[in-house]
Amino acid sequence: MGSSSLVVRTCSFLIMCAVIAASSSSDSGAVSRRNLLGNGLGSTPPMGWNSWNHFNCIIDEKIIKETADALVSTGLAKLGYNYVNIDDCWAELDRDSKGSMVPKKSTFPSGMKALSDYVHSKGLKLGIYSDAGYLTCSKKMPGSLGFEEIDAKTFASWGIDYLKYDNCNNGGIKPTLRYPVMTRALMNAGRPIFLSMCEWGDMHPALWGYTVGNSWRTTNDISDNWDSMVSRADQNEVYAEYARPGGWNDPDMLEIGNGGMTKNEYIVHFSIWAISKAPLLIGCDVRNITKDTMEIIANKEVIALNQDKLGVQAKKVRMEGDWEVWSGPLSHYRIAVLLLNRGSVATPITAHWDDLGIAPTTSVRARDLWEHKTLSSTFKGNLTANIDSHGCKLFVLKA
């Protein structure tokens, strides 16, 4: 077995972009090592929580503090969910007299440094949001375009650990020019900050993102329904070969617990994100989390698959009608296999050894990660399971 008011310093910005574009184009070794980003972060996909999917713009420091508390009290923090990420709408529209962003006084009266200190006191990390444009997507905050250096230094001074960097209101400037400017600024800010590029797969960031960010969105925003979720998975899977430790494909945040899908569909959601080595960023209200949601996002065996040190994203190895087999190698000569039924009726699905890269005569043990049991039989040549509509089975195979 083998194993994305406001006056911008346009001239200096364009000059900087030209320099970066020239240096990037001259480096044909983008895959060999980063030419811009070398922050040592993201050796495994990030895990944590983000405010947008559940709260949108209705956020304040009380919600952020209570979420940090809940990540600890539920045990999710011990499982690896360590980032507490604030999305859009946290800042005043106007910068201060020095050009710095200002937290909104009505919702973040204590300021971001105090909030960062609180989150860090819980053993967690604080993430923040900005945009590689003139305004953020909500148009309620200034973007960082032209202010990359000052914003990066501001974020570092607040103790920020993660930056989600969006793509709205960008003046039509290509993301391949805009995003590297923030990369350089973060590298000079004096603090390691995970850079999550949220450019929606606009210019195929998987092809160039590894030198610029720690993760890159390969899709448009997810919605809390089956069709949206599986379509994001499909779009993300195309770029599987470009994911690796330090740089991950991102099909957007988790919707589990927000109520738009069934429990089985949410299990599929978590299974695909895990086997795809996607960031596991909870998008529900963890202060009021249900038992069903906890059973899904707190599955240690599925989390371990996502966090496997080998860092290889799974691919679809067979598709027939409404069913699919996804597979990818894991450390210690193991293989992850997902049997997925996208249809409306239950159906048997078979994983064949020749699709998985296993010698046909090899006898294999199978561990069911949702049933938490190793199947009593050994398997040779293939493995078949009956899969419910909009359901899945997730196995780890080992000879």
Side-chain angles (χ1 to χ4, degrees):
M1 293 176 62
S3 2
S4 165
S5 24
L6 295 164
V7 179
V8 183
R9 307 180 192 92
T10 305
C11 292
S12 61
F13 168 70
L14 292 176
I15 290 170
M16 207 178 330
C17 287
V19 170
I20 290 170
S23 65
S24 297
S25 62
S26 66
D27 183 3
S28 60
V31 174
S32 63
R33 192 57 211 151
R34 303 174 178 275
N35 59 350
L36 293 180
L37 185 65
N39 58 16
L41 301 176
S43 60
T44 59
M47 296 175 61
W49 173 88
N50 178 283
S51 60
W52 186 257
N53 284 359
H54 187 84
F55 294 98
N56 299 114
C57 273
I58 312 302
I59 54 168
D60 56 36
E61 64 183 41
K62 180 174 182 287
I63 290 172
I64 304 305
K65 286 182 176 181
E66 289 177 352
T67 297
D69 294 343
L71 288 172
V72 174
S73 65
T74 58
L76 289 168
K78 285 186 177 180
L79 295 176
Y81 293 98
N82 292 321
Y83 286 107
V84 182
N85 294 344
I86 306 167
D87 213 283
D88 202 351
C89 309
W90 59 266
E92 301 284 4
L93 181 56
D94 295 321
R95 292 173 177 268
D96 67 16
S97 60
K98 297 180 180 179
S100 300
M101 285 194 190
V102 180
K104 191 180 291 186
K105 287 200 173 182
S106 62
T107 51
F108 292 89
S110 303
M112 286 299 170
K113 181 61 171 67
L115 186 56
S116 173
D117 288 345
Y118 183 87
V119 170
H120 291 156
S121 75
K122 300 290 180 177
L124 302 171
K125 300 175 182 180
L126 186 66
I128 210 161
Y129 168 98
S130 189
D131 191 286
Y134 303 113
L135 293 169
T136 64
C137 294
S138 70
K139 297 185 179 179
K140 295 180 179 180
M141 281 175 49
S144 290
L145 185 60
F147 293 86
E148 292 87 355
E149 288 289 338
I150 191 169
D151 288 352
K153 288 177 181 176
T154 299
F155 298 153
S157 72
W158 289 343
I160 297 299
D161 303 291
Y162 183 113
L163 173 62
K164 177 182 175 181
Y165 202 40
D166 221 335
N167 195 35
C168 290
N169 305 301
N170 55 50
I173 304 169
K174 289 183 178 181
T176 49
L177 297 179
R178 289 178 285 111
Y179 279 84
V181 183
M182 180 56 84
T183 305
R184 293 283 194 195
L186 290 175
M187 292 304 295
N188 293 327
R191 179 182 180 83
I193 297 177
F194 186 104
L195 178 56
S196 170
M197 297 164 46
C198 185
E199 65 93 81
W200 326 315
D202 180 13
M203 290 190 68
H204 309 292
L207 306 183
W208 51 270
Y210 186 67
T211 65
V212 182
N214 296 110
S215 66
W216 43 85
R217 277 277 295 281
T218 53
T219 72
N220 284 323
D221 288 358
I222 194 172
S223 297
D224 187 17
N225 63 74
W226 172 261
D227 288 339
S228 175
M229 183 270 291
V230 294
S231 69
R232 301 307 179 266
D234 292 340
Q235 294 164 28
N236 188 66
E237 187 267 346
V238 172
Y239 300 105
E241 65 188 280
Y242 297 99
R244 69 201 72 161
W248 306 103
N249 292 319
D250 178 6
D252 205 5
M253 299 167 291
L254 298 168
E255 290 281 9
I256 300 157
N258 283 330
M261 288 183 258
T262 66
K263 183 177 182 180
N264 276 349
E265 290 172 338
Y266 280 141
I267 287 172
V268 170
H269 185 6
F270 198 66
S271 298
I272 296 178
W273 264 236
I275 202 170
S276 299
K277 303 300 186 292
L280 297 182
L281 296 175
I282 303 165
C284 67
D285 184 356
V286 297
R287 304 170 306 167
N288 298 292
I289 203 160
T290 66
K291 181 172 181 270
D292 281 351
T293 298
M294 277 296 293
E295 286 178 0
I296 298 170
I297 65 174
N299 186 321
K300 294 180 181 180
E301 295 190 73
V302 180
I303 291 170
L305 186 157
N306 175 261
Q307 297 289 297
D308 184 75
K309 299 298 184 183
L310 194 61
V312 177
Q313 180 174 328
K315 300 179 182 181
K316 298 179 189 181
V317 297
R318 182 171 290 204
M319 298 175 285
E320 291 190 17
D322 289 325
W323 64 259
E324 299 171 352
V325 178
W326 298 52
S327 181
L330 300 170
S331 58
H332 306 297
Y333 305 103
R334 298 169 300 147
I335 292 178
V337 177
L338 175 70
L339 307 182
L340 172 62
N341 179 8
R342 299 170 68 145
S344 58
V345 296
T347 187
I349 300 178
T350 300
H352 296 275
W353 276 199
D354 56 352
D355 291 330
L356 309 181
I358 305 174
T361 58
T362 302
S363 184
V364 170
R365 301 305 299 264
R367 176 75 178 177
D368 186 322
L369 302 191
W370 287 107
E371 295 293 332
H372 301 292
K373 66 181 181 182
T374 301
L375 304 187
S376 57
S377 302
T378 58
F379 299 87
K380 188 176 290 187
N382 61 71
L383 182 156
T384 300
N386 198 57
I387 311 298
D388 290 335
S389 168
H390 288 196
C392 69
K393 284 283 189 179
L394 185 57
F395 299 103
V396 169
L397 308 183
K398 186 170 175 59

